[in-house]
């Protein structure tokens, strides 16, 4: 079985109609036939002709994915051990090495709650404006509060992930997410205060009250801000732009 090193493996990067190889934990796999590795890139963030041992543990799949591909050789640095990250405490570095998913997954999991709640608040406010059912107004307010509470954990985990995976570099998608996260929360705080001070503020929207219409529009904006955050979060995980 052929032995590869960094230089020899790099030749199989999928360019110029060459075979597409990747290395993982000391083994070299031929992924040429996989549609997910077309042109030598995977989801626009992983590149063929490289050792991906450091990159794949945080992916949304386990090692079983490699069972689909033929092993064509060995990688001479296969005894690889991920070095400790000196930027974070040793206990946390050891924990991440043991459970690599912690490096990437907590924020995507936590962020779904506030985004869904904020979009839900807009939806139920719209349903109330159409049908006038009081429970829709109550549900919109409850979802708004829940979204604000959960956003604290989502934002905190987001900053940690940004620091851990991107060394806090000013990436466009991340900056947009940060800006709109705080805009979203500011909007929610104003709406919660307003609704608490004037419980019938949304109810009066059906009477075309000016204040109620402003409140209603601000509530609909929660969904708009949440969708922007979700879109750029998706851009980080599954980039659509060409590299």
């Amino acid at each position: 079985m052929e032995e590869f090193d960094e230089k020899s493996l790099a030749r199989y990067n999928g360019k110029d109609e060459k075979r597409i190889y990747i290395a993982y934990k000391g083994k070299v796999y031929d992924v040429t036939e996989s549609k997910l590795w077309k042109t030598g890139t995977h989801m626009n963030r992983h590149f063929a002709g490289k050792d991906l041992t450091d990159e794949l543990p945080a992916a949304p799949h386990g090692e079983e994915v490699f069972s689909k591909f033929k092993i064509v050789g060995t990688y001479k640095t296969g005894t690889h051990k991920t070095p400790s990250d000196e930027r974070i405490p040793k206990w946390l570095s050891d924990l991440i090495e043991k459970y690599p998913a912690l490096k990437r997954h907590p924020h995507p999991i936590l962020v779904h709650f506030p985004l869904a709640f904020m979009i839900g608040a807009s939806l139920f406010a719209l349903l109330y404006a159409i049908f006038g059912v009081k429970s829709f107004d109550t549900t919109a307010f409850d979802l708004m509060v829940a979204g604000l509470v959960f956003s604290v954990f989502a934002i905190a985990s987001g900053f940690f992930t940004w620091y851990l995976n991107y060394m806090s570099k000013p990436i466009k998608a991340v900056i947009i997410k940060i800006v709109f996260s705080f805009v979203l929360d500011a909007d929610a705080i104003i709406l919660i205060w307003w609704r608490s001070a004037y419980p019938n503020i949304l109810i009066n929207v059906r009477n075309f009250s000016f204040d109620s219409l402003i409140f209603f529009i601000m509530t609909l904006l929660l969904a708009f801000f949440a969708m922007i955050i979700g879109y750029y979060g998706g851009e980080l995980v599954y980039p659509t732009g060409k590299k």
Side-chain angles (χ1 to χ4, degrees), residues 199-240:
N200 293 326
I201 186 65
L202 183 59
I203 293 175
N204 291 329
V205 73
R206 293 175 59 81
N207 299 321
F208 298 100
S209 164
F210 177 77
D211 288 351
S212 294
L213 287 173
I214 296 299
F215 182 92
F216 179 62
I217 292 171
M218 290 179 65
T219 303
L220 295 183
L221 284 174
L222 292 174
F224 175 70
F225 297 146
M227 286 187 285
I228 290 177
I229 295 168
Y231 173 80
Y232 281 98
E235 278 291 295
L236 288 172
V237 180
Y238 303 112
T240 57

Side-chain angles (χ1 to χ4, degrees), residues 28-237:
V28 177
Y29 296 86
D30 183 347
V31 296
T32 308
E33 303 304 320
S34 173
K35 294 180 180 179
L36 297 177
W37 279 98
K38 187 178 180 180
T39 72
T41 62
H42 177 57
M43 306 309 293
N44 276 347
R45 65 183 301 120
H46 302 296
F47 300 90
K50 294 175 56 180
D51 178 12
L52 302 183
T53 304
D54 287 341
E55 300 180 31
L56 295 189
H61 54 69
E63 295 184 24
E64 68 280 356
V65 71
F66 293 102
S67 64
K68 304 175 183 178
F69 307 115
K70 179 182 178 181
I71 298 175
V72 294
T74 59
Y75 194 66
K76 71 176 184 179
T77 57
T79 56
H80 175 86
K81 179 180 174 63
T82 303
S84 297
D85 191 332
E86 296 179 354
R87 295 173 297 136
I88 61 177
K90 187 178 184 305
W91 68 268
L92 183 55
S93 179
D94 292 342
L95 185 64
I96 291 173
E97 184 177 340
K98 186 176 181 180
Y99 302 104
L102 293 176
K103 190 173 183 180
R104 195 178 301 274
H105 292 176
H107 177 64
I109 292 173
L110 291 172
V111 78
H112 285 101
F113 290 97
L115 294 185
F117 288 149
M118 293 302 190
I119 292 174
S122 296
L123 174 62
F124 277 95
L126 180 61
L127 289 174
Y128 174 77
I130 296 173
F131 299 107
V133 178
K134 181 65 172 66
S135 60
F136 290 159
D137 169 45
T138 303
T139 301
F141 178 73
D142 291 343
L143 288 172
M144 206 181 298
V145 173
L148 181 62
V149 171
F150 276 94
S151 73
V152 174
F153 301 99
I155 290 174
S157 65
F159 273 104
F160 177 71
T161 298
W162 182 33
Y163 170 72
L164 197 62
N165 291 298
Y166 303 101
M167 300 182 69
S168 299
K169 293 180 180 179
I171 301 169
K172 179 183 177 182
V174 174
I175 298 303
I176 291 175
K177 284 188 63 183
I178 291 173
V179 170
F180 276 94
S181 293
F182 285 108
V183 170
L184 175 67
D185 276 6
D187 189 13
I189 289 170
I190 293 171
L191 290 170
I192 291 170
W193 171 84
W194 202 348
R195 173 66 164 67
S196 299
Y198 304 96
N200 293 326
I201 186 65
L202 183 59
I203 293 175
N204 291 329
V205 73
R206 293 175 59 81
N207 299 321
F208 298 100
S209 164
F210 177 77
D211 288 351
S212 294
L213 287 173
I214 296 299
F215 182 92
F216 179 62
I217 292 171
M218 290 179 65
T219 303
L220 295 183
L221 284 174
L222 292 174
F224 175 70
F225 297 146
M227 286 187 285
I228 290 177
I229 295 168
Y231 173 80
Y232 281 98
E235 278 291 295
L236 288 172
V237 180

Side-chain angles (χ1 to χ4, degrees), residues 1-18:
M1 188 171 286
E2 185 176 355
E3 183 179 79
F4 293 83
D5 58 18
E6 182 177 356
K7 185 177 180 179
S8 60
L9 182 64
R11 295 198 295 267
Y12 297 90
N13 57 13
K15 295 181 173 58
D16 301 323
E17 299 183 357
K18 291 182 178 178

